[in-house]
Amino acid sequence: MLGKQDPASPLIRHLDARLAAGPVRPSAARGLDLVRRTDTDRRLLLRLLAEPCSRLVFVGHVSRVRDEHGAQTALHLSCAAGLPGTAAPIGAHRPFTAADLALSEVDAMPARVALIGCASASDFGLAEPFGVLLAAVAAGARLVAATVWALPTSAAVPGADPMAELVIAVDTALAGDDPVAELCAWQRTRLARWRERAEPSRSPVFWAALTCLDASDDGQTWVR
């Protein structure tokens, strides 16, 4: 989804700065070691979620699957087909579904979660809404940033990396005092840039896909 990164890319420099500022999970010596990993399966995810953390940022493929629990969204981690789960394997891989998350022992999701992937916020498009977004809220997330439609990969705009810009903006906002306001402000800057010169690397297909589900402490849930 992000394409091959190199040590000098904006995303890797951002991750290097995160590592220098404090602990990051999974542990890594450099930002480059946090992307395109082959060990980020459901076992690692559940183990990491058992530890205290301020936020969870997932960037990868999301799709809609169907199993005995009905239609739902699923994260595509590095899960081998032999790992247990509710979804049927796709070749040598088994998707990690919302039901898998709901049926796991995770009950202390970080307060802030980002799910950046194709239509990760599409729960409400299901006849009986349930997906990874709502599963994260049910597990304790108070704010979930997700994307409404399918996102092009970085390969769609050679010479630029708008997906990396989106990831950096979301991670930065989730670390701030008011993530929703920060993300809205960032989207307005992207809109101004698009109006100044409309070109593929500035297209709203990347930055406008983002929305936030705010499960605030007042007992109400808002899509913002």
Side-chain angles (χ1 to χ4, degrees):
M1 182 176 181
L2 286 169
K4 187 175 182 179
Q5 300 288 319
D6 64 69
S9 70
L11 177 61
I12 299 307
R13 293 201 305 270
H14 171 79
L15 294 176
D16 284 337
R18 283 282 179 247
L19 288 168
V24 174
R25 301 287 186 272
S27 58
R30 54 181 187 157
L32 200 59
D33 297 330
L34 290 171
V35 299
R36 300 176 69 89
R37 298 171 65 110
T38 59
D39 63 341
T40 50
D41 61 16
R42 65 196 64 201
R43 296 170 300 185
L44 176 62
L45 176 64
L46 299 180
R47 191 160 64 246
L48 294 176
L49 290 178
E51 305 174 6
C53 53
S54 62
R55 63 190 181 280
L56 166 67
V57 178
F58 167 84
V59 182
H61 184 47
V62 179
S63 71
R64 188 174 297 184
V65 300
R66 180 173 291 277
D67 59 17
E68 63 267 30
H69 300 281
Q72 57 186 298
T73 48
L75 307 180
H76 291 267
L77 306 172
S78 303
C79 299
L83 292 176
T86 61
I90 301 174
H93 163 68
R94 190 187 300 273
F96 182 69
T97 68
D100 292 330
L101 177 57
L103 295 171
S104 72
E105 297 180 356
V106 174
D107 58 1
M109 184 70 69
R112 296 176 178 181
V113 173
L115 301 171
I116 303 175
C118 291
S120 57
S122 65
D123 294 11
F124 301 109
L126 304 174
E128 296 182 0
F130 186 69
V132 289
L133 185 153
L134 293 179
V137 172
R142 310 308 297 167
L143 178 71
V144 182
T147 43
V148 177
W149 53 71
L151 295 168
T153 67
S154 295
V157 280
D161 199 346
M163 278 303 304
E165 292 179 3
L166 176 63
V167 174
I168 293 170
V170 172
D171 182 51
T172 301
L174 261 59
D177 295 330
D178 191 341
V180 175
E182 290 189 32
L183 287 173
C184 285
W186 176 76
Q187 287 178 313
R188 285 192 292 270
T189 67
R190 302 299 95 174
L191 175 59
R193 200 172 68 147
W194 168 253
R195 287 174 171 170
E196 176 186 86
R197 187 171 72 252
E199 58 184 28
S201 64
R202 301 182 177 195
S203 172
V205 73
F206 294 100
W207 52 263
L210 192 66
T211 189
C212 292
L213 184 73
D214 184 359
S216 53
D217 293 330
D218 60 7
Q220 301 183 64
T221 300
W222 305 91
V223 177
R224 304 168 64 183

PDB file of all heavy atoms in Angstrom, residues 136-149:
ATOM      1  N   ALA A 136     -13.159  -2.039  17.338  1.00  0.00           N
ATOM      2  CA  ALA A 136     -12.169  -1.278  18.106  1.00  0.00           C
ATOM      3  C   ALA A 136     -12.847  -0.441  19.183  1.00  0.00           C
ATOM      4  O   ALA A 136     -12.366  -0.349  20.320  1.00  0.00           O
ATOM      5  CB  ALA A 136     -11.351  -0.386  17.167  1.00  0.00           C
ATOM      6  N   VAL A 137     -13.978   0.179  18.839  1.00  0.00           N
ATOM      7  CA  VAL A 137     -14.725   0.967  19.835  1.00  0.00           C
ATOM      8  C   VAL A 137     -15.244   0.064  20.942  1.00  0.00           C
ATOM      9  O   VAL A 137     -15.167   0.403  22.128  1.00  0.00           O
ATOM     10  CB  VAL A 137     -15.882   1.723  19.150  1.00  0.00           C
ATOM     11  CG1 VAL A 137     -16.784   2.386  20.185  1.00  0.00           C
ATOM     12  CG2 VAL A 137     -15.331   2.776  18.188  1.00  0.00           C
ATOM     13  N   ALA A 138     -15.755  -1.108  20.572  1.00  0.00           N
ATOM     14  CA  ALA A 138     -16.271  -2.046  21.581  1.00  0.00           C
ATOM     15  C   ALA A 138     -15.167  -2.512  22.518  1.00  0.00           C
ATOM     16  O   ALA A 138     -15.426  -2.829  23.688  1.00  0.00           O
ATOM     17  CB  ALA A 138     -16.915  -3.243  20.887  1.00  0.00           C
ATOM     18  N   ALA A 139     -13.930  -2.522  22.022  1.00  0.00           N
ATOM     19  CA  ALA A 139     -12.797  -2.955  22.848  1.00  0.00           C
ATOM     20  C   ALA A 139     -12.190  -1.816  23.652  1.00  0.00           C
ATOM     21  O   ALA A 139     -11.223  -2.036  24.382  1.00  0.00           O
ATOM     22  CB  ALA A 139     -11.724  -3.596  21.972  1.00  0.00           C
ATOM     23  N   GLY A 140     -12.741  -0.605  23.527  1.00  0.00           N
ATOM     24  CA  GLY A 140     -12.285   0.481  24.382  1.00  0.00           C
ATOM     25  C   GLY A 140     -11.761   1.719  23.693  1.00  0.00           C
ATOM     26  O   GLY A 140     -11.446   2.705  24.366  1.00  0.00           O
ATOM     27  N   ALA A 141     -11.644   1.711  22.359  1.00  0.00           N
ATOM     28  CA  ALA A 141     -11.164   2.910  21.665  1.00  0.00           C
ATOM     29  C   ALA A 141     -12.181   4.032  21.811  1.00  0.00           C
ATOM     30  O   ALA A 141     -13.384   3.808  21.715  1.00  0.00           O
ATOM     31  CB  ALA A 141     -10.928   2.605  20.193  1.00  0.00           C
ATOM     32  N   ARG A 142     -11.710   5.241  22.028  1.00  0.00           N
ATOM     33  CA  ARG A 142     -12.595   6.402  22.167  1.00  0.00           C
ATOM     34  C   ARG A 142     -12.619   7.248  20.902  1.00  0.00           C
ATOM     35  O   ARG A 142     -13.577   7.995  20.672  1.00  0.00           O
ATOM     36  CB  ARG A 142     -12.150   7.281  23.346  1.00  0.00           C
ATOM     37  CG  ARG A 142     -11.914   6.547  24.650  1.00  0.00           C
ATOM     38  CD  ARG A 142     -13.084   5.684  25.047  1.00  0.00           C
ATOM     39  NE  ARG A 142     -14.288   6.452  25.288  1.00  0.00           N
ATOM     40  CZ  ARG A 142     -15.509   5.918  25.400  1.00  0.00           C
ATOM     41  NH1 ARG A 142     -15.669   4.617  25.256  1.00  0.00           N
ATOM     42  NH2 ARG A 142     -16.548   6.688  25.636  1.00  0.00           N
ATOM     43  N   LEU A 143     -11.585   7.159  20.093  1.00  0.00           N
ATOM     44  CA  LEU A 143     -11.523   7.909  18.837  1.00  0.00           C
ATOM     45  C   LEU A 143     -10.868   7.012  17.791  1.00  0.00           C
ATOM     46  O   LEU A 143      -9.765   6.519  18.003  1.00  0.00           O
ATOM     47  CB  LEU A 143     -10.714   9.194  18.991  1.00  0.00           C
ATOM     48  CG  LEU A 143     -10.538  10.025  17.722  1.00  0.00           C
ATOM     49  CD1 LEU A 143     -11.863  10.687  17.328  1.00  0.00           C
ATOM     50  CD2 LEU A 143      -9.453  11.077  17.899  1.00  0.00           C
ATOM     51  N   VAL A 144     -11.567   6.801  16.681  1.00  0.00           N
ATOM     52  CA  VAL A 144     -11.032   5.969  15.606  1.00  0.00           C
ATOM     53  C   VAL A 144     -11.015   6.780  14.313  1.00  0.00           C
ATOM     54  O   VAL A 144     -12.059   7.264  13.864  1.00  0.00           O
ATOM     55  CB  VAL A 144     -11.856   4.688  15.401  1.00  0.00           C
ATOM     56  CG1 VAL A 144     -11.224   3.837  14.305  1.00  0.00           C
ATOM     57  CG2 VAL A 144     -11.957   3.886  16.696  1.00  0.00           C
ATOM     58  N   ALA A 145      -9.844   6.961  13.748  1.00  0.00           N
ATOM     59  CA  ALA A 145      -9.705   7.602  12.439  1.00  0.00           C
ATOM     60  C   ALA A 145      -9.637   6.506  11.391  1.00  0.00           C
ATOM     61  O   ALA A 145      -8.844   5.566  11.516  1.00  0.00           O
ATOM     62  CB  ALA A 145      -8.435   8.458  12.392  1.00  0.00           C
ATOM     63  N   ALA A 146     -10.501   6.601  10.387  1.00  0.00           N
ATOM     64  CA  ALA A 146     -10.567   5.566   9.370  1.00  0.00           C
ATOM     65  C   ALA A 146     -10.842   6.203   8.020  1.00  0.00           C
ATOM     66  O   ALA A 146     -11.116   7.400   7.924  1.00  0.00           O
ATOM     67  CB  ALA A 146     -11.645   4.543   9.720  1.00  0.00           C
ATOM     68  N   THR A 147     -10.780   5.401   6.958  1.00  0.00           N
ATOM     69  CA  THR A 147     -10.948   5.915   5.607  1.00  0.00           C
ATOM     70  C   THR A 147     -12.217   5.353   4.984  1.00  0.00           C
ATOM     71  O   THR A 147     -12.528   4.181   5.125  1.00  0.00           O
ATOM     72  CB  THR A 147      -9.723   5.576   4.745  1.00  0.00           C
ATOM     73  OG1 THR A 147      -9.311   4.230   4.992  1.00  0.00           O
ATOM     74  CG2 THR A 147      -8.570   6.486   5.103  1.00  0.00           C
ATOM     75  N   VAL A 148     -12.948   6.214   4.278  1.00  0.00           N
ATOM     76  CA  VAL A 148     -14.304   5.894   3.838  1.00  0.00           C
ATOM     77  C   VAL A 148     -14.318   5.065   2.558  1.00  0.00           C
ATOM     78  O   VAL A 148     -15.203   4.240   2.369  1.00  0.00           O
ATOM     79  CB  VAL A 148     -15.106   7.198   3.628  1.00  0.00           C
ATOM     80  CG1 VAL A 148     -16.498   6.907   3.100  1.00  0.00           C
ATOM     81  CG2 VAL A 148     -15.193   7.985   4.933  1.00  0.00           C
ATOM     82  N   TRP A 149     -13.351   5.270   1.664  1.00  0.00           N
ATOM     83  CA  TRP A 149     -13.391   4.547   0.399  1.00  0.00           C
ATOM     84  C   TRP A 149     -12.056   3.867   0.123  1.00  0.00           C
ATOM     85  O   TRP A 149     -11.081   4.026   0.864  1.00  0.00           O
ATOM     86  CB  TRP A 149     -13.748   5.483  -0.753  1.00  0.00           C
ATOM     87  CG  TRP A 149     -12.899   6.719  -0.874  1.00  0.00           C
ATOM     88  CD1 TRP A 149     -11.595   6.787  -1.278  1.00  0.00           C
ATOM     89  CD2 TRP A 149     -13.301   8.071  -0.587  1.00  0.00           C
ATOM     90  NE1 TRP A 149     -11.154   8.088  -1.258  1.00  0.00           N
ATOM     91  CE2 TRP A 149     -12.188   8.899  -0.852  1.00  0.00           C
ATOM     92  CE3 TRP A 149     -14.495   8.657  -0.159  1.00  0.00           C
ATOM     93  CZ2 TRP A 149     -12.232  10.278  -0.684  1.00  0.00           C
ATOM     94  CZ3 TRP A 149     -14.542  10.029   0.006  1.00  0.00           C
ATOM     95  CH2 TRP A 149     -13.424  10.821  -0.256  1.00  0.00           C
TER      96      TRP A 149
END
